Amino acid sequence: MSRDNAFIDPDLYEYILSTTLRDDPVLSDLREETAGMSEGRMQISADQGQFMGMLVKLSGASRAIEVGVFTGYSSLCVARALPEDGLLVACDISVEYTDVARRYWDRAGVAAKIDLRIGPAMETLDRMIGKGETGNFDFAFIDADKLNYPRYYDLCLQLLRSGGLLLVDNALWGGHVADPERTDDITATLRELNGRAARDPRVEVSLLPIGDGVLIARKV
């Protein structure tokens, strides 16, 4: 996690963090450990995690889905915001990274709320739908392999109830989605998904320049 935001003046972003971020040792230690990893920049920013926790509380969510756990920062923020009997189904393929997540979930006292499912997320979500869990979730967060975002989007929407929130991370992709010269597969996929969500009659949408861009869709 870096203390910067490509879409906000650095001094203004530092002001935002220093003024409104409510930090604690569990969160800061997890950010520090993750920052030392080769793929540490995959972690969401601290302000984004705090924002997500607020959305969970505002929406009254008690059942959530996460596609892409990494070292568990977003999971921790969401699980903390869920009620004591809340549930977060967390999907990832990496035992190595999620072992780090488990340590911090235990330390934060939220491990009992998190059902970690190791394996391809599409298979996990398909099984949930097959078991009749359609419409049973209140909140979903997608932050995994970008080329599969459109499929994750559709599966999570099926699992969400009316009024449920779906957040898609990296929606601005460092600003590349606005650059017509960028035609690589990931940029094209994210650009297409943003446009598709904007036209999707199943949702109301907002696209915010927090973190690397977060697309928020509310299922109608």
Side-chain angles (χ1 to χ4, degrees):
M1 195 280 300
S2 60
R3 288 178 66 90
D4 58 33
N5 182 309
F7 317 112
I8 301 176
D9 174 83
D11 290 338
L12 179 58
Y13 186 55
E14 181 61 33
Y15 171 80
I16 291 170
L17 294 179
S18 63
T19 303
T20 64
L21 181 63
R22 296 187 176 182
D23 212 0
D24 63 62
V26 179
L27 294 173
S28 60
D29 288 353
L30 177 50
R31 292 199 306 272
E32 183 177 356
E33 180 170 346
T34 304
M37 299 177 179
S38 60
E39 296 183 297
R41 289 189 65 87
M42 293 198 309
Q43 186 176 72
I44 67 168
S45 64
D47 56 319
Q48 180 179 335
Q50 184 167 296
F51 176 65
M52 288 171 56
M54 181 181 289
L55 288 180
V56 169
K57 291 181 178 180
L58 285 171
S59 65
S62 62
R63 292 172 58 84
I65 301 167
E66 180 176 62
V67 179
V69 174
F70 190 38
T71 58
Y73 194 88
S74 52
S75 312
L76 177 54
C77 293
V78 169
R80 276 182 161 180
L82 292 171
E84 286 303 313
D85 61 348
L87 170 69
L88 170 62
V89 176
C91 309
D92 205 286
I93 59 173
S94 172
V95 173
E96 177 186 1
Y97 286 137
T98 56
D99 278 350
V100 176
R102 285 181 186 274
R103 284 195 282 108
Y104 285 91
W105 297 342
D106 285 335
R107 183 175 163 189
V110 298
K113 297 182 186 180
I114 302 174
D115 179 4
L116 176 62
R117 303 187 185 183
I118 298 295
M122 277 191 284
E123 295 179 9
T124 299
L125 298 174
D126 274 328
R127 282 195 297 270
M128 292 165 66
I129 291 169
K131 291 179 179 178
E133 297 189 68
T134 296
N136 285 352
F137 289 83
D138 312 297
F139 185 92
F141 178 54
I142 299 172
D143 184 14
D145 48 311
K146 312 310 173 195
L147 295 181
N148 282 318
Y149 266 27
R151 182 60 176 152
Y152 296 144
Y153 172 89
D154 284 328
L155 292 171
C156 285
L157 270 187
Q158 289 184 60
L159 289 162
L160 284 177
R161 62 168 172 81
S162 177
L165 294 180
L166 170 59
L167 275 61
V168 180
D169 199 39
N170 304 113
L172 295 178
W173 201 231
H176 297 319
V177 291
D179 181 358
E181 299 298 318
R182 291 291 298 242
T183 58
D184 60 277
D185 289 344
I186 291 179
T187 303
T189 298
L190 293 170
R191 185 185 293 132
E192 180 182 354
L193 179 59
N194 290 337
R196 177 183 164 200
R199 300 184 300 270
D200 190 343
R202 297 175 296 175
V203 297
E204 301 167 338
V205 298
S206 184
L207 180 53
L208 302 179
I210 187 171
D212 191 30
V214 178
L215 176 69
I216 303 176
R218 176 186 178 273
K219 185 173 180 180
V220 298

